[in-house]
């Protein structure tokens, strides 16, 4: 472990940019990646939504407002009032900010001014854990019944929509012309053509005890990785959905995995951060933290991850020779 900083309970992934890690805990925190020094905090910004950083601006939802903050000092550039809480990070690109909260709308703002560009009703109001995804000039959003819509990000026009059975799904993954989506209340994983919405395959991990998959998939090569509530991380063939291997942990895997340097990093609810080989799932190391481990990010050989015990951890991705992990 390089350092840890108490930031308050973390419910989302951090974001790393230009030597700073930004994380939502008890407010929004900006922390120096080198030594864990706190650069600034904003008690009124950040809650359960992960921040997004583009150029010199941090975009993040609070409990009742959406903020654009100066990345250097946390100063407010603009903010907009929200009537619902947001639990997901925004998608930022092309001078636009796209975000969702518990309302029925997908909302798009001007990134420089916060002025509303457009909004589209796409779901019923209520708890929402699926963030919009911007990829290859298309904006994707999934409603609570598993209907995927592809929007023109500039106008909000629907390019296509496709139904699945992915109820209460988490954020989809768009990669190399495919969209992958896990069933938040069930055990299915779906693959669609990202350009047309055509179904490519629907599969479930080849284990009798498989439970709901409430995570965003990660991909490396032709292998898809998903965490499940049955205490397992699964590796699936990205072309067919066939199960390649799985790793059993001591708790539910509600953490979305991250892949770097042939290694898959993920957390489990029993307080462990795991590092396993991307090829075969062999455990490289695991580290005990003080609480449920959220989704990690990896940058410059360091894993940054928040936990429900209130800490943000910075952990070497490759332990020093002779180091002992628990």
């Amino acid at each position: 472990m390089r350092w840890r900083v108490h930031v308050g309970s973390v419910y989302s992934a951090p974001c790393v940019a230009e030597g700073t890690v930004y994380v939502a805990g008890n407010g929004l925190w900006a922390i120096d990646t080198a030594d864990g020094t706190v650069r600034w905090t904003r008690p009124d910004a950040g809650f359960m939504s992960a921040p997004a950083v583009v150029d010199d601006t941090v975009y993040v939802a609070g409990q009742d407002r959406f903020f654009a903050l100066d990345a250097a000092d946390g100063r407010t550039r603009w903010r907009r009032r929200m009537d619902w809480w947001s639990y997901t990070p925004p998608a930022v690109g092309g001078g636009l900010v796209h975000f969702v909260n518990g309302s029925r709308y997908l909302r798009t703002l001007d990134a420089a001014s916060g002025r509303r560009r457009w909004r589209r009703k796409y779901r019923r109001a209520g708890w929402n854990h699926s963030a919009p995804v911007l990829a290859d000039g298309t904006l994707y959003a999934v409603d609570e019944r598993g209907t995927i819509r592809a929007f023109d990000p500039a106008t909000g026009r629907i390019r296509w929509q496709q139904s699945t059975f992915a109820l209460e799904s988490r954020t989809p993954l768009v990669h190399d012309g495919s969209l992958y989506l896990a069933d938040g209340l069930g055990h299915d994983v779906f693959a669609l053509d990202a350009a047309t919405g055509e179904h490519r395959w629907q599969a479930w991990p080849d284990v009798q005890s498989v439970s709901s998959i409430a995570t965003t998939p990660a991909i490396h090569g032709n292998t898809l990785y998903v965490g499940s509530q049955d205490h397992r991380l699964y590796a699936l063939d990205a072309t067919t959905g066939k199960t390649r291997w799985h790793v059993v942990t001591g708790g539910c895997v509600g953490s979305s995995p991250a892949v770097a340097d042939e290694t898959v990093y993920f957390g489990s609810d029993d307080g462990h951060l795991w590092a396993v080989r991307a090829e075969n799932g062999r455990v490289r190391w695991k580290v005990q933290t003080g609480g449920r481990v959220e989704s990690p990010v990896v940058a410059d050989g360091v894993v940054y991850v928040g936990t429900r015990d209130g800490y943000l951890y910075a952990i070497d991705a490759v332990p020093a020779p002779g180091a002992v992990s628990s």
Side-chain angles (χ1 to χ4, degrees):
M1 189 182 302
R2 291 194 172 191
W3 50 258
R4 69 174 187 170
V5 177
H6 193 272
V7 298
S9 292
V10 179
Y11 293 86
S12 59
C15 180
V16 180
E18 301 296 330
T20 302
V21 54
Y22 302 88
V23 64
N26 183 12
L28 184 69
W29 297 67
I31 299 169
D32 191 301
T33 57
D35 57 11
T37 301
V38 177
R39 291 183 168 172
W40 53 262
T41 64
R42 281 292 302 260
D44 57 339
F47 175 49
M48 295 179 74
S49 167
V53 182
V54 176
D55 297 327
D56 59 354
T57 304
V58 183
Y59 301 93
V60 66
Q63 293 190 36
D64 58 359
R65 287 175 173 79
F66 189 91
F67 293 88
L69 307 175
D70 188 296
D73 57 16
R75 176 176 49 86
T76 300
R77 292 187 165 167
W78 55 259
R79 60 187 171 189
R80 287 187 65 96
R81 183 170 181 82
M82 298 190 307
D83 294 327
W84 296 78
W85 289 355
S86 178
Y87 301 96
T88 62
V92 186
L96 299 173
V97 181
H98 313 276
F99 75 98
V100 298
N101 52 27
S103 75
R104 298 174 294 173
Y105 296 96
L106 169 62
R107 303 172 188 272
T108 293
L109 309 176
D110 184 278
S113 66
R115 180 173 57 87
R116 190 174 83 182
R117 289 290 189 89
W118 56 264
R119 71 174 188 175
R120 290 291 179 271
K121 186 187 298 184
Y122 80 108
R123 67 185 307 275
R124 291 181 294 186
W127 196 275
N128 182 13
H129 279 294
S130 182
V133 175
L134 188 62
D136 301 322
T138 299
L139 182 68
Y140 302 90
V142 184
D143 69 18
E144 76 286 351
R145 292 166 291 184
T147 299
I148 306 167
R149 293 175 175 83
F151 298 88
D152 183 312
T155 65
R157 180 180 61 85
I158 296 177
R159 291 174 173 169
W160 58 259
Q161 69 179 54
Q162 182 64 266
S163 296
T164 70
F165 298 103
L167 302 179
E168 301 293 344
S169 68
R170 297 308 191 258
T171 304
L173 168 71
V174 180
H175 175 80
D176 198 21
S178 294
L179 183 148
Y180 302 97
L181 181 69
D183 189 344
L185 296 183
H187 53 244
D188 293 280
V189 180
F190 301 84
L192 283 68
D193 186 298
T196 66
E198 179 183 357
H199 280 277
R200 289 184 169 168
W201 52 260
Q202 176 183 347
W204 54 89
D206 188 18
V207 175
Q208 284 187 338
S209 64
V210 65
S211 184
S212 59
I213 301 175
T215 60
T216 296
I219 195 167
H220 175 69
N222 196 44
T223 303
L224 197 69
Y225 306 94
V226 293
S228 172
Q229 298 297 298
D230 68 357
H231 298 199
R232 290 175 171 88
L233 177 84
Y234 291 96
L236 310 178
D237 186 298
T239 302
T240 65
K242 182 181 172 80
T243 302
R244 289 183 166 169
W245 51 259
H246 68 265
V247 176
V248 179
T249 75
C252 297
V253 181
S255 156
S256 297
V259 187
D261 299 324
E262 307 297 325
T263 303
V264 185
Y265 303 92
F266 64 99
S268 53
D269 285 6
D270 65 341
H272 283 94
L273 173 67
W274 296 73
V276 304
R277 294 185 183 275
E279 179 183 8
N280 54 25
R282 181 175 299 173
V283 177
R284 286 186 159 167
W285 52 260
K286 64 176 180 176
V287 171
Q288 176 75 56
T289 71
R292 171 179 169 177
V293 179
E294 294 299 322
S295 302
V297 298
V298 186
D300 299 323
V302 179
V303 186
Y304 300 93
V305 66
T307 64
R308 295 291 177 85
D309 67 348
Y311 285 93
L312 175 73
Y313 293 84
I315 298 171
D316 279 318
V318 180
V324 177
S325 299
S326 60

